[in-house]
Amino acid sequence: AQKITQTQPGMFVQEKEAVTLDCTYDTSDPSYGLFWYKQPSSGEMIFLIYQGSYDQQNATEGRYSLNFQKARKSANLVISASQLGDSAMYFCAMRELSNQAGTALIFGKGTTLSVSS
Amino acid sequence: DVKVTQSSRYLVKRTGEKVFLECVQDMDHENMFWYRQDPGLGLRLIYFSYDVKMKEKGDIPEGYSVSREKKERFSLILESASTNQTSMYLCASTGTGITGELFFGEGSRLTVL
């Protein structure tokens, strides 16, 4: 079974609009971390935002916020006021902290975001 | 500026060749990783290392081996390259910070003919 599911292969949005990229996860580990990365066409992986399983508040970093719904096991990325430079592949990832491989991240298949003017 | 450096951005090899992909990090990180990225499949973990000379298999270790003789260097080895190993290979490292995010190299695009 997939541990990280990103159901949207592609998303399209107009500049200045907000967009939500979906991510659901599956774990029985009570202690875990959730990450979002951005990969532009140039290929580098850029860390965007982190949410710990015990964090009481949703994480925010500038225009990025993470809508964390623990009971639903979802960790959606919200980008406010989209810009042309936001066009990229976005990956959701999880670290299970009690896992023997606890430092590795498990990635979803990604969502391609296209922002138009 | 912290960095993870992969030795080759693009490689073209023939079936059966031995291939070395080198990765060096300058952040004194304990943990290093090799992922493979394929369209529609996301990133999949091949191997990781949590200390010098220590290695653990990830989700898809078959056909690969790794070496970590020094803390800063983690090598991925394809003993006998096959066409189904044509892919983008990403090296990453992480320390013990609060979030423990992975720092990635620029990737090595390998084509096996």
Side-chain angles (χ1 to χ4, degrees), chain A residues 37-90:
Chain A
Y37 279 83
K38 172 185 178 181
Q39 187 180 45
S41 57
S42 52
E44 76 264 36
M45 292 285 283
I46 302 167
F47 166 67
L48 295 178
I49 198 166
Y50 168 83
Q51 180 86 42
S53 58
Y54 294 117
D55 292 344
Q56 295 297 312
Q57 295 195 332
N58 287 345
T60 59
E61 289 287 346
R63 293 187 299 111
Y64 304 108
S65 60
L66 201 153
N67 184 0
F68 180 46
Q69 298 190 42
K70 196 169 182 177
R72 292 186 174 185
K73 293 189 175 178
S74 86
N76 298 340
L77 178 70
V78 180
I79 306 174
S80 63
S82 298
Q83 301 172 355
L84 294 176
D86 292 335
S87 294
M89 177 79 85
Y90 289 80

Side-chain angles (χ1 to χ4, degrees), chain B residues 55 65-69 73-77:
Chain B
K55 60 186 179 184
S65 61
V66 290
S67 171
R68 192 157 181 212
E69 296 296 319
R73 187 179 298 269
F74 191 36
S75 302
L76 181 69
I77 303 153

